[in-house]
CSV table of all heavy atoms in Angstrom, one decimal:
chain,number,residue,atom,x,y,z
G,3,ALA,N,-41.2,-48.6,-21.7
G,3,ALA,CA,-40.1,-48.1,-22.7
G,3,ALA,C,-39.2,-47.2,-22.0
G,3,ALA,O,-38.0,-47.3,-22.2
G,3,ALA,CB,-40.9,-47.4,-23.8
G,4,PHE,N,-39.6,-46.3,-21.0
G,4,PHE,CA,-38.7,-45.5,-20.4
G,4,PHE,C,-37.8,-46.3,-19.5
G,4,PHE,O,-36.6,-46.0,-19.3
G,4,PHE,CB,-39.4,-44.4,-19.6
G,4,PHE,CG,-39.7,-43.2,-20.4
G,4,PHE,CD1,-40.9,-42.8,-20.8
G,4,PHE,CD2,-38.6,-42.3,-20.6
G,4,PHE,CE1,-41.2,-41.7,-21.5
G,4,PHE,CE2,-38.8,-41.1,-21.4
G,4,PHE,CZ,-40.1,-40.8,-21.8
G,5,ALA,N,-38.3,-47.3,-18.8
G,5,ALA,CA,-37.5,-48.2,-17.9
G,5,ALA,C,-36.4,-48.9,-18.8
G,5,ALA,O,-35.3,-49.0,-18.4
G,5,ALA,CB,-38.4,-49.2,-17.2
G,6,GLY,N,-36.8,-49.4,-19.9
G,6,GLY,CA,-35.9,-50.0,-20.8
G,6,GLY,C,-34.8,-49.1,-21.3
G,6,GLY,O,-33.7,-49.4,-21.4
G,7,MET,N,-35.2,-47.8,-21.7
G,7,MET,CA,-34.2,-46.8,-22.1
G,7,MET,C,-33.2,-46.5,-21.1
G,7,MET,O,-32.0,-46.4,-21.4
G,7,MET,CB,-35.0,-45.6,-22.5
G,7,MET,CG,-35.7,-45.6,-23.8
G,7,MET,SD,-36.5,-44.0,-24.2
G,7,MET,CE,-35.2,-42.8,-24.2
G,8,PHE,N,-33.6,-46.3,-19.9
G,8,PHE,CA,-32.7,-46.1,-18.8
G,8,PHE,C,-31.7,-47.2,-18.6
G,8,PHE,O,-30.5,-47.0,-18.4
G,8,PHE,CB,-33.4,-45.7,-17.5
G,8,PHE,CG,-34.0,-44.4,-17.4
G,8,PHE,CD1,-35.4,-44.2,-17.1
G,8,PHE,CD2,-33.3,-43.3,-17.8
G,8,PHE,CE1,-36.0,-43.0,-17.1
G,8,PHE,CE2,-33.9,-42.0,-17.8
G,8,PHE,CZ,-35.2,-41.9,-17.4
G,9,ALA,N,-32.2,-48.4,-18.6
G,9,ALA,CA,-31.4,-49.6,-18.5
G,9,ALA,C,-30.4,-49.7,-19.8
G,9,ALA,O,-29.2,-50.0,-19.6
G,9,ALA,CB,-32.2,-50.9,-18.5
G,10,GLY,N,-30.9,-49.4,-20.9
G,10,GLY,CA,-30.1,-49.4,-22.1
G,10,GLY,C,-28.9,-48.4,-22.1
G,10,GLY,O,-27.8,-48.6,-22.5
G,11,GLN,N,-29.3,-47.2,-21.5
G,11,GLN,CA,-28.3,-46.1,-21.4
G,11,GLN,C,-27.2,-46.5,-20.4
G,11,GLN,O,-26.0,-46.2,-20.6
G,11,GLN,CB,-28.9,-44.9,-21.0
G,11,GLN,CG,-29.8,-44.2,-22.0
G,11,GLN,CD,-30.6,-43.0,-21.6
G,11,GLN,OE1,-30.8,-42.8,-20.3
G,11,GLN,NE2,-31.2,-42.3,-22.5
G,12,MET,N,-27.5,-47.3,-19.3
G,12,MET,CA,-26.5,-47.8,-18.4
G,12,MET,C,-25.6,-48.8,-19.1
G,12,MET,O,-24.4,-48.8,-18.9
G,12,MET,CB,-27.2,-48.4,-17.2
G,12,MET,CG,-27.9,-47.3,-16.4
G,12,MET,SD,-28.8,-48.1,-15.0
G,12,MET,CE,-27.5,-48.8,-14.1
G,13,VAL,N,-26.2,-49.7,-19.9
G,13,VAL,CA,-25.4,-50.7,-20.5
G,13,VAL,C,-24.6,-50.1,-21.6
G,13,VAL,O,-23.4,-50.6,-21.9
G,13,VAL,CB,-26.4,-51.8,-21.2
G,13,VAL,CG1,-25.6,-52.7,-22.1
G,13,VAL,CG2,-27.1,-52.5,-20.2
G,14,ARG,N,-25.0,-49.0,-22.3
G,14,ARG,CA,-24.2,-48.3,-23.4
G,14,ARG,C,-22.8,-47.9,-22.9
G,14,ARG,O,-21.9,-48.0,-23.6
G,14,ARG,CB,-25.0,-47.1,-23.9
G,14,ARG,CG,-24.2,-46.3,-25.0
G,14,ARG,CD,-24.8,-45.0,-25.3
G,14,ARG,NE,-26.1,-45.1,-25.8
G,14,ARG,CZ,-26.9,-44.0,-26.1
G,14,ARG,NH1,-26.3,-42.8,-25.8
G,14,ARG,NH2,-28.1,-44.1,-26.5
G,15,THR,N,-22.7,-47.6,-21.6
G,15,THR,CA,-21.4,-47.2,-21.1
G,15,THR,C,-20.5,-48.4,-20.9
G,15,THR,O,-19.3,-48.2,-20.7
G,15,THR,CB,-21.6,-46.4,-19.7
G,15,THR,OG1,-22.2,-47.3,-18.8
G,15,THR,CG2,-22.5,-45.2,-19.9
G,16,ARG,N,-21.0,-49.6,-20.9
G,16,ARG,CA,-20.2,-50.7,-20.6
G,16,ARG,C,-20.0,-51.7,-21.8
G,16,ARG,O,-19.1,-52.4,-21.8
G,16,ARG,CB,-20.8,-51.6,-19.5
G,16,ARG,CG,-21.0,-50.8,-18.1
G,16,ARG,CD,-21.5,-51.7,-17.1
G,16,ARG,NE,-21.7,-51.0,-15.8
G,16,ARG,CZ,-22.2,-51.5,-14.7
G,16,ARG,NH1,-22.5,-52.8,-14.7
G,16,ARG,NH2,-22.3,-50.8,-13.5
G,17,MET,N,-20.9,-51.6,-22.7
G,17,MET,CA,-20.9,-52.5,-23.9
G,17,MET,C,-20.7,-51.6,-25.2
G,17,MET,O,-21.3,-50.6,-25.3
G,17,MET,CB,-22.3,-53.2,-24.0
G,17,MET,CG,-22.4,-54.2,-25.2
G,17,MET,SD,-24.1,-54.9,-25.1
G,17,MET,CE,-23.9,-56.0,-26.5
G,18,HIS,N,-19.9,-52.2,-26.0
G,18,HIS,CA,-19.7,-51.5,-27.3
G,18,HIS,C,-21.0,-51.4,-28.2
G,18,HIS,O,-21.5,-52.5,-28.5
G,18,HIS,CB,-18.6,-52.2,-28.1
G,18,HIS,CG,-17.9,-51.2,-29.2
G,18,HIS,ND1,-18.6,-50.8,-30.2
G,18,HIS,CD2,-16.7,-50.7,-29.1
G,18,HIS,CE1,-17.8,-50.0,-30.9
G,18,HIS,NE2,-16.7,-49.9,-30.3
G,19,PRO,N,-21.5,-50.3,-28.4
G,19,PRO,CA,-22.7,-50.2,-29.1
G,19,PRO,C,-22.7,-50.9,-30.5
G,19,PRO,O,-23.8,-51.4,-31.0
G,19,PRO,CB,-23.0,-48.7,-29.4
G,19,PRO,CG,-22.2,-48.0,-28.2
G,19,PRO,CD,-21.0,-48.9,-28.1
G,20,ASP,N,-21.6,-50.9,-31.2
G,20,ASP,CA,-21.5,-51.5,-32.5
G,20,ASP,C,-21.8,-53.0,-32.4
G,20,ASP,O,-22.4,-53.6,-33.3
G,20,ASP,CB,-20.1,-51.3,-33.2
G,20,ASP,CG,-20.0,-49.9,-33.7
G,20,ASP,OD1,-21.1,-49.2,-33.8
G,20,ASP,OD2,-18.8,-49.4,-34.0
G,21,VAL,N,-21.3,-53.7,-31.4
G,21,VAL,CA,-21.6,-55.1,-31.2
G,21,VAL,C,-23.0,-55.4,-31.0
G,21,VAL,O,-23.6,-56.3,-31.6
G,21,VAL,CB,-20.7,-55.7,-30.0
G,21,VAL,CG1,-21.1,-57.1,-29.7
G,21,VAL,CG2,-19.2,-55.5,-30.3
G,22,PHE,N,-23.7,-54.6,-30.1
G,22,PHE,CA,-25.1,-54.8,-29.8
G,22,PHE,C,-25.9,-54.4,-31.1
G,22,PHE,O,-26.8,-55.2,-31.4
G,22,PHE,CB,-25.5,-53.8,-28.7
G,22,PHE,CG,-27.0,-54.0,-28.3
G,22,PHE,CD1,-27.3,-55.0,-27.3
G,22,PHE,CD2,-27.9,-53.3,-28.9
G,22,PHE,CE1,-28.6,-55.1,-26.9
G,22,PHE,CE2,-29.3,-53.5,-28.5
G,22,PHE,CZ,-29.6,-54.4,-27.5
G,23,ARG,N,-25.4,-53.4,-31.8
G,23,ARG,CA,-26.2,-53.0,-33.0
G,23,ARG,C,-26.2,-54.1,-34.0
G,23,ARG,O,-27.2,-54.3,-34.7
G,23,ARG,CB,-25.5,-51.7,-33.6
G,23,ARG,CG,-26.2,-51.2,-34.8
G,23,ARG,CD,-25.6,-49.9,-35.3
G,23,ARG,NE,-26.2,-49.4,-36.5
G,23,ARG,CZ,-25.8,-49.7,-37.7
G,23,ARG,NH1,-24.9,-50.6,-37.9
G,23,ARG,NH2,-26.4,-49.2,-38.8
G,24,ARG,N,-25.0,-54.8,-34.2
G,24,ARG,CA,-24.9,-55.9,-35.2
G,24,ARG,C,-25.9,-57.0,-34.9
G,24,ARG,O,-26.7,-57.5,-35.8
G,24,ARG,CB,-23.5,-56.4,-35.2
G,24,ARG,CG,-23.3,-57.5,-36.3
G,24,ARG,CD,-21.9,-58.0,-36.3
G,24,ARG,NE,-20.9,-56.9,-36.3
G,24,ARG,CZ,-20.0,-56.7,-35.3
G,24,ARG,NH1,-20.1,-57.5,-34.2
G,24,ARG,NH2,-19.2,-55.7,-35.3
G,25,TRP,N,-26.0,-57.4,-33.6
G,25,TRP,CA,-26.9,-58.5,-33.3
G,25,TRP,C,-28.4,-58.1,-33.3
G,25,TRP,O,-29.2,-58.9,-33.7
G,25,TRP,CB,-26.6,-59.1,-31.9
G,25,TRP,CG,-25.3,-59.9,-31.9
G,25,TRP,CD1,-24.1,-59.6,-31.4
G,25,TRP,CD2,-25.2,-61.2,-32.5
G,25,TRP,NE1,-23.2,-60.6,-31.7
G,25,TRP,CE2,-23.9,-61.6,-32.4
G,25,TRP,CE3,-26.1,-62.1,-33.1
G,25,TRP,CZ2,-23.4,-62.9,-32.8
G,25,TRP,CZ3,-25.6,-63.3,-33.6
G,25,TRP,CH2,-24.3,-63.7,-33.4
G,26,PHE,N,-28.6,-56.8,-33.0
G,26,PHE,CA,-29.9,-56.2,-33.1
G,26,PHE,C,-30.4,-56.4,-34.6
G,26,PHE,O,-31.5,-56.8,-34.9
G,26,PHE,CB,-29.9,-54.8,-32.6
G,26,PHE,CG,-31.1,-54.0,-33.1
G,26,PHE,CD1,-32.4,-54.3,-32.7
G,26,PHE,CD2,-30.9,-52.9,-33.9
G,26,PHE,CE1,-33.5,-53.5,-33.1
G,26,PHE,CE2,-32.0,-52.1,-34.4
G,26,PHE,CZ,-33.2,-52.5,-34.0
G,27,LEU,N,-29.5,-55.9,-35.5
G,27,LEU,CA,-29.9,-55.9,-36.9
G,27,LEU,C,-30.1,-57.3,-37.4
G,27,LEU,O,-31.0,-57.6,-38.2
G,27,LEU,CB,-28.9,-55.2,-37.7
G,27,LEU,CG,-28.8,-53.7,-37.5
G,27,LEU,CD1,-27.6,-53.1,-38.2
G,27,LEU,CD2,-30.1,-53.0,-38.0
G,28,ILE,N,-29.3,-58.3,-37.0
G,28,ILE,CA,-29.5,-59.7,-37.4
G,28,ILE,C,-30.9,-60.2,-36.9
G,28,ILE,O,-31.6,-60.9,-37.6
G,28,ILE,CB,-28.4,-60.6,-36.8
G,28,ILE,CG1,-27.0,-60.2,-37.5
G,28,ILE,CG2,-28.7,-62.1,-36.9
G,28,ILE,CD1,-25.8,-60.9,-36.9
């Protein structure tokens, strides 16, 4: 989980969170 969190935080700076959030909710 921590490894995934760190990777996600790195992606957050490059990817718009709203786009990811939409596909996550779908």
Side-chain angles (χ1 to χ4, degrees):
F4 270 107
M7 282 179 61
F8 286 128
Q11 289 169 349
M12 293 176 62
V13 170
R14 183 192 292 177
T15 62
R16 301 182 181 182
M17 179 181 182
H18 200 291
D20 286 344
V21 175
F22 185 88
R23 181 176 179 275
R24 186 181 309 116
W25 285 107
F26 160 66
L27 291 169
I28 291 172

